[in-house]
């Protein structure tokens, strides 16, 4: 096409495109702004508004990196990248201090020592950011005892700049409350991800160790930016091959990429590996040959990965092998592995998510019954990893009764970031409120007023070894998490692992500002939407303490009617116990008495239907359909109204988002809009199916104004989704 042709009317429409293309090719104009696809997560560095940019320029004139250290180097790189984007200028990296320099340094470096800063009690990962005079110049010092500490400080400085917080007169210090802040990837070696909704596994095992994608670096950057310092690479339903030489080499290649970012590699260990890949006749933890095999295996791993973190183990749970196969206890198994990694400084994270096919007691009681008698018998380098609630990552559970009940054992929190039970990646549910609810729950154990956070951070029971695990929602999708808003759940997990007393709201605000725009006209409504979003899911899926009502296997959609599965506790009907008299699981003294596993004060509140928070009512009580609720409605009416409230909240969320189009790039705006539309449909499906089903027991009318379900119960029961994602069994 000739340029002159552009002036003819016939081709006018195509010409702007052609001109842009031609100019871009000839280098006359910058290439168009890259479409926002979510890849950059919260580490987006678009230019600040002009006023803010000008105010910040004198505070970022150069970067001084004090010391030879890989973490300092990448901290400098991140500042260069961040300042380059936000302030549209590239500060030189130079050794001389000048006004407005940012000085990154280790406590041990002479120029930092000369400042006499209070660094000694920052520990290995804390940092200090201070506006000081150094060699006669006003500078910002970011200092720590280790490289990762400095990197965390650099990310905090960038965060402040992104969200528009002051950067002058700084005196910021922060230390993580927990030592292990780890992601658990439930990733299989064939790249499927158990309960993963974001594409394939991020780990391309086939091309490792020869090829390490830049995505691995960006993964490590993202983790470091929120303080995550560990990654368990493979599924807890583990394949023993992960522990063979070739796979150790692959894990080592990842560890090399992650090391500058302070992220250590861990592996899930299959308990029967000595049999499967070691050729031993059994995996009995008290068999000296088995213990020797694990010691040699640990030595082999540490030779390849000197800072290997240790093992995560799911044993004697849902068909996984374990010490009980040989009549031994969880402690026997954990201690044997702990002895293998102890000489190298490693840990064992032994999961308490156990329930047994033979045991007919209430599933909610089983972990407590198996683990409490073992308190005090675990090695010093073992943590027992406990899910937030006693069943299984439900939209709402009361806190797990093990918290506070094993004072001589470090208990590590396990949250699920991937939304197995909260609408997969399509439903918008910010989990910060759920994490906060659990962490701030009062256990009244070991002392009155103790909270779950006090137990997890070791302060209540005097443990130095502490941690929090999050089941990752990360995959090969361009936006990492399967949806833009699910990135917030990765983000808030990291932030709460650093500070388990943090509130969910400010973290949501930070995330929204960094991920989209700091403009409060966008951020405020979005934060409000996020803060109510998980409650909406609870309302439309499992209101008032109901739980485990999802369809079988994949857990996609409602299946409250399922009652024919092999094991009783796999059936939703086992959990809701609806009948002509009422609904709910009696876990008081007249029922399973699981309530007695809590501290007496807490148990007394949960056991009293008049005192318990109604959000947990049907978790602990079988309640008559006509029981009056605090609203004045009967239970049946309240149930139906609550389901409906969940659906209408999603409608509100859609309207909120629709009003924010001007603030968001087209692609992300549209993708979120489409997911919200799916969520509204599926919320209604949940509500309609559940109401249709439970009314067969309640045999009562719907409360006035509540619409009839769209279809009859048979319709909902007949739906089937054989290929719903995340179900890799
Ligand atoms: O929530 C259940 C999941 C399983 C998972 C198990 C666990 C890894 O449905 O897929 O297996 O929990 O936590 O071990």
């Amino acid at each position: 096409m000739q340029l002159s042709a552009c002036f003819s009317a016939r081709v006018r429409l195509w010409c702007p495109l052609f001109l842009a293309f031609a100019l871009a090719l000839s280098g006359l104009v910058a290439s168009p702004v890259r479409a926002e696809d979510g890849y950059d997560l919260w580490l987006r560095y678009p230019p600040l508004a002009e006023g803010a940019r000008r105010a910040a320029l004198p505070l970022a004139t150069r970067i001084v990196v004090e010391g030879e250290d890989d973490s300092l180097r990448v901290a400098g790189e991140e500042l260069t990248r961040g300042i380059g984007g936000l302030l549209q200028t590239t500060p030189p990296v130079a050794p001389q201090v000048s006004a407005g320099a940012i000085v990154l340094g280790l406590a041990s470096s002479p120029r930092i020592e000369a400042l006499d800063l209070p660094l000694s009690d920052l520990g290995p990962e804390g940092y200090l950011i201070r506006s000081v005079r150094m060699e006669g110049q006003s500078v910002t010092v970011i200092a720590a005892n280790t490289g990762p500490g400095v990197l965390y400080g650099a990310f905090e400085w960038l965060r402040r700049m992104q969200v528009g917080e002051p950067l002058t007169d700084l005196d910021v210090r922060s230390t993580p409350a927990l030592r292990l802040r780890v992601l658990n990837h439930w990733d299989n070696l064939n790249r499927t991800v158990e309960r993963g909704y974001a594409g394939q596994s991020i780990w391309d095992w086939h091309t490792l160790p020869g090829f390490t994608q830049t995505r691995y670096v960006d993964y490590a950057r993202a983790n470091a930016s929120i303080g995550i310092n560990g990654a368990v690479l493979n599924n807890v339903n583990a394949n023993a091959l992960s522990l063979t030489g070739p796979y150790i080499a692959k894990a080592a290649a990842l560890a090399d990429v992650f090391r500058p970012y302070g992220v250590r590699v861990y592996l899930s260990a299959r308990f029967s590996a000595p049999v499967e890949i070691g050729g031993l006749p059994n995996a009995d933890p008290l068999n000296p040959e088995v213990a020797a095999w694990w010691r040699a295996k640990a030595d082999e791993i540490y030779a390849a990965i000197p800072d290997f973190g240790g093992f995560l183990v799911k044993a004697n749970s849902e068909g996984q092998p374990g010490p009980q196969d040989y009549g031994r206890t969880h402690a026997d198994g954990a201690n044997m592995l702990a002895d293998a990694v102890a000489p190298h400084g490693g840990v064992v994270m032994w999961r308490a998510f156990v329930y047994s096919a033979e045991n007919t007691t209430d599933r909610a009681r089983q972990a407590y019954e198996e683990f409490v008698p073992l308190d005090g018998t675990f090695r010093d380098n073992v943590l027992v990893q406990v899910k937030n609630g006693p069943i299984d990552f439900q939209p709402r559970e009361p806190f797990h009764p093990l918290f506070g009940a094993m004072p001589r054992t470090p208990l590590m929190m396990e949250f699920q970031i991937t939304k197995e039970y909260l609408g997969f990646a399509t439903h918008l549910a910010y989990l910060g409120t759920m994490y906060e609810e659990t962490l701030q729950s009062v256990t009244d154990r070991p002392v009155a007023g103790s909270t779950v956070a006090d137990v997890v951070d070791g302060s209540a029971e005097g443990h130095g070894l502490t941690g929090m695990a999050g089941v990752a929602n990360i995959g090969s999708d361009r936006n990492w998490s399967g949806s833009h808003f699910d990135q917030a759940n990765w983000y808030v997990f990291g932030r709460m692992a650093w500070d388990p007393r943090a509130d969910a709201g400010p973290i949501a605000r930070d995330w929204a500002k960094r991920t989209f725009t700091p403009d409060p006209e966008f951020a405020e409504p979005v934060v409000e939407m996020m803060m109510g979003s998980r409650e909406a899911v609870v309302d439309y899926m499992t209101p008032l303490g109901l739980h485990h009502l999802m369809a079988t296997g994949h857990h996609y959609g409602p299946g409250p009617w399922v009652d024919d599965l092999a094991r009783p506790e796999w059936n939703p009907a086992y959990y809701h116990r609806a009948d002509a008299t009422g609904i709910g699981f009696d876990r008081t003294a007249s029922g399973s008495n699981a309530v007695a596993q809590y501290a007496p004060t807490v148990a007394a509140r949960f056991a009293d239907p008049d005192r318990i928070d109604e959000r947990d009512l049907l978790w602990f009580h079988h309640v008559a359909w006509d029981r009056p609720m605090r609203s004045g409605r009967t239970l049946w009416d309240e149930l139906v109204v609550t389901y409906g409230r969940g659906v209408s909240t999603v409608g509100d969320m859609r309207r909120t988002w629709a009003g924010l189009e001007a603030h968001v790039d087209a692609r992300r705006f549209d993708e979120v809009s489409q997911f919200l539309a799916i969520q509204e449909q599926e919320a209604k499906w949940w509500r309609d199916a559940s109401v249709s089903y439970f009314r067969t027991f309640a045999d009562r009318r719907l409360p006035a104004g509540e619409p009839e379900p769209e279809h009859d119960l048979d319709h909902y029961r007949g739906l089937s989704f054989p290929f719903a994602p995340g179900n890799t069994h």
Side-chain angles (χ1 to χ4, degrees):
M1 192 195 301
Q2 297 284 319
L3 271 188
S4 56
C6 285
F7 298 100
S8 93
R10 251 182 54 219
V11 289
R12 195 179 302 139
L13 270 178
W14 294 103
C15 279
L17 279 178
F18 171 77
L19 282 173
F21 182 63
L23 289 171
L25 275 186
S26 66
L28 290 179
V29 295
S31 55
V33 179
R34 187 159 52 87
E36 295 254 13
D37 56 15
Y39 184 84
D40 290 342
L41 296 160
W42 48 90
L43 299 177
R44 289 168 62 262
Y45 302 122
L48 292 182
E50 193 46 27
R53 193 181 81 86
R54 251 185 278 132
L57 275 172
L59 302 165
T61 57
R62 66 170 56 196
I63 299 168
V64 180
V65 180
E66 262 311 287
E68 289 290 311
D69 178 285
D70 281 343
S71 301
L72 256 58
R73 177 179 51 77
V74 298
E77 284 169 14
E78 193 71 28
L79 285 180
T80 304
R81 178 200 302 247
I83 293 165
L86 295 163
L87 302 186
Q88 297 286 289
T89 173
T90 305
V93 180
Q96 304 83 11
V97 168
S98 61
I102 302 169
V103 183
L104 303 174
L106 297 177
S108 54
S109 105
R111 282 168 108 186
I112 299 292
E113 259 186 344
L115 294 172
D116 200 20
L117 297 169
L119 303 176
S120 56
D121 58 350
L122 285 176
E125 294 179 297
Y127 59 82
L128 175 77
I129 309 177
R130 220 183 236 192
S131 309
V132 296
R133 285 191 76 75
M134 184 175 183
E135 297 162 19
Q137 308 287 348
S138 297
V139 303
T140 305
V141 170
I142 303 179
N145 292 310
T146 65
V150 175
L151 180 60
Y152 295 144
F155 274 116
E156 169 60 13
W157 187 89
L158 282 167
R159 183 196 68 78
R160 288 174 176 255
M161 182 173 280
Q162 284 174 293
V163 303
E165 287 178 16
L167 293 167
T168 50
D169 302 320
L170 291 179
D171 189 7
V172 182
R173 54 190 295 125
S174 183
T175 55
L178 305 181
R179 246 175 76 183
L180 312 181
R181 306 177 298 279
V182 300
L183 291 178
N184 287 185
H185 289 267
W186 285 358
D187 293 21
N188 299 315
L189 300 185
N190 64 3
R191 293 194 78 181
T192 57
V193 181
E194 184 151 350
R195 312 313 177 183
Y197 313 102
Q200 286 191 294
S201 168
I202 177 175
W203 319 128
D204 185 354
W205 293 109
H206 184 67
T207 55
L208 282 164
F211 180 61
T212 48
Q213 312 171 7
T214 48
R215 183 177 265 252
Y216 302 151
V217 177
D218 291 329
Y219 165 86
R221 284 175 55 229
N223 279 332
S225 75
I226 50 177
I228 289 174
N229 67 359
V232 185
L233 302 178
N234 59 320
N235 192 351
V236 288
N237 291 335
N239 187 325
L241 288 179
S242 297
L243 300 173
T244 56
Y247 280 94
I248 293 172
K250 293 168 194 285
L254 291 173
D256 290 343
V257 173
F258 300 166
R259 192 164 293 113
Y261 298 90
V263 178
R264 283 181 177 210
V265 155
Y266 299 73
L267 291 173
S268 292
R270 181 154 167 94
F271 201 76
S272 51
V275 178
E276 289 162 22
I277 58 169
L280 295 184
N282 63 56
D284 181 348
L286 300 192
N287 175 352
E289 268 193 312
V290 170
W293 186 87
W294 280 109
R295 277 199 305 276
K297 186 49 73 182
D299 294 347
E300 182 189 347
I301 296 173
Y302 277 94
I305 312 173
D307 54 354
F308 179 65
F311 293 126
L312 169 65
V313 187
K314 171 175 177 178
N316 294 120
S317 166
E318 298 186 327
Q320 294 299 311
Q324 293 174 349
D325 303 349
Y326 307 96
R328 316 297 184 198
T329 67
H330 286 291
D332 294 330
N335 291 343
M336 187 259 308
L337 290 174
D339 290 343
V341 294
H344 307 282
V347 301
V348 169
M349 299 169 289
W350 191 269
R351 295 176 88 225
F353 176 70
V354 295
Y355 60 97
S356 128
E358 290 77 48
N359 195 337
T360 50
T361 48
D362 177 2
R363 173 172 163 188
R365 295 182 55 129
Q366 292 185 30
Y368 182 101
E369 283 174 0
E370 280 190 43
F371 277 86
V372 168
L374 301 175
D375 191 25
T377 66
F378 290 96
R379 296 280 191 273
D380 288 348
N381 58 334
V382 175
L383 301 106
V384 171
Q385 182 169 310
V386 183
K387 288 189 182 182
N388 55 295
I391 297 286
D392 190 4
F393 295 142
Q394 294 303 295
R396 166 166 284 125
E397 300 198 26
F399 70 89
H400 202 299
L402 276 175
F403 291 111
M406 292 183 68
R408 292 188 291 159
T409 310
L411 298 190
M412 186 168 172
M413 172 63 76
E414 178 176 324
F415 284 126
Q416 197 176 41
I417 307 172
T418 189
K419 303 204 313 299
E420 174 181 357
Y421 295 103
L422 288 106
F424 296 7
T426 37
H427 294 208
L428 195 165
Y430 171 57
L431 302 182
T433 47
M434 183 167 95
Y435 302 160
E436 177 191 310
E437 182 177 303
T438 304
L439 289 164
Q440 297 188 6
S441 291
V442 173
T443 59
D444 274 346
R445 258 189 328 214
V447 294
S450 295
T451 62
V452 172
D454 298 339
V455 172
V456 171
D457 79 0
S459 59
E461 298 160 347
H463 298 300
L465 182 57
T466 54
M468 192 186 289
V471 179
N473 64 352
I474 297 160
S476 59
D477 273 8
R478 188 69 194 155
N479 68 22
W480 300 88
S481 302
S483 91
H484 298 293
F485 273 85
D486 277 340
Q487 298 176 352
N489 295 326
W490 178 7
Y491 185 82
V492 69
F493 167 76
R495 294 281 302 266
M496 287 198 178
W498 184 278
D499 178 8
R501 293 187 179 73
D503 290 334
I507 297 175
R509 182 168 296 105
D510 253 6
W511 174 81
K513 288 183 168 185
R514 299 175 79 180
T515 304
F516 291 100
T517 161
D519 186 341
E521 285 188 23
F522 171 83
E524 291 316 312
V526 163
V527 169
E528 202 186 315
M529 173 173 90
M530 289 169 76
M531 291 299 285
S533 59
R534 174 265 187 157
E535 201 64 43
V537 176
V538 173
D539 285 348
Y540 62 71
M541 286 190 187
T542 51
L544 303 176
L546 290 175
H547 49 287
H548 218 298
L549 304 182
M550 294 75 192
T552 304
H554 46 60
H555 299 153
Y556 172 65
W561 42 80
V562 176
D563 61 1
D564 57 355
L565 302 177
R567 287 169 58 157
E569 75 287 342
W570 282 348
N571 289 299
Y574 168 92
Y575 295 97
H576 64 66
R577 306 201 164 200
D579 58 22
T581 63
I583 182 171
F585 197 130
D586 182 2
R587 295 193 163 105
T588 68
S590 54
S592 79
N593 207 22
V595 74
Q597 294 179 336
Y598 291 92
T601 41
V602 176
R605 179 163 41 83
F606 285 158
D608 183 346
D610 293 326
R611 284 179 59 212
I612 192 171
D613 191 318
E614 284 180 350
R615 68 188 192 187
D616 294 322
L617 183 66
L618 305 180
W619 185 282
F620 288 107
H621 298 272
H622 191 266
V623 179
W625 292 115
D626 288 329
R627 182 188 160 85
M629 302 289 285
R630 277 166 214 149
S631 63
R633 296 185 195 100
T634 65
L635 170 66
W636 167 247
D637 284 2
E638 185 80 6
L639 197 62
V640 178
V641 166
T642 310
Y643 275 119
R645 188 175 64 211
V647 181
S648 64
T649 304
V650 180
D652 295 342
M653 286 160 60
R654 279 186 80 182
R655 277 182 288 282
T656 299
W657 186 253
L660 295 171
E661 183 164 9
H663 299 278
V664 189
D665 52 283
R667 174 165 171 179
R668 290 190 297 170
F669 177 78
D670 183 50
E671 288 176 356
V672 172
S673 304
Q674 292 192 48
F675 273 5
L676 283 168
I678 293 177
Q679 184 175 5
E680 192 173 19
Q681 271 169 19
E682 295 189 352
K684 185 169 177 314
W685 166 32
W686 263 96
R687 178 264 179 203
D688 285 354
S690 306
V691 168
S692 305
Y693 172 66
F694 288 129
R695 83 195 314 189
T696 64
F697 301 96
D699 198 19
R700 283 159 173 78
R701 282 177 199 287
L702 299 185
E706 295 296 323
E708 275 297 310
E710 195 172 337
H711 303 283
D712 64 14
L713 181 56
D714 285 346
H715 167 86
Y716 298 111
R717 292 182 71 131
L719 298 174
S720 123
F721 305 91
F723 304 114
N727 191 21
T728 59
H729 301 125

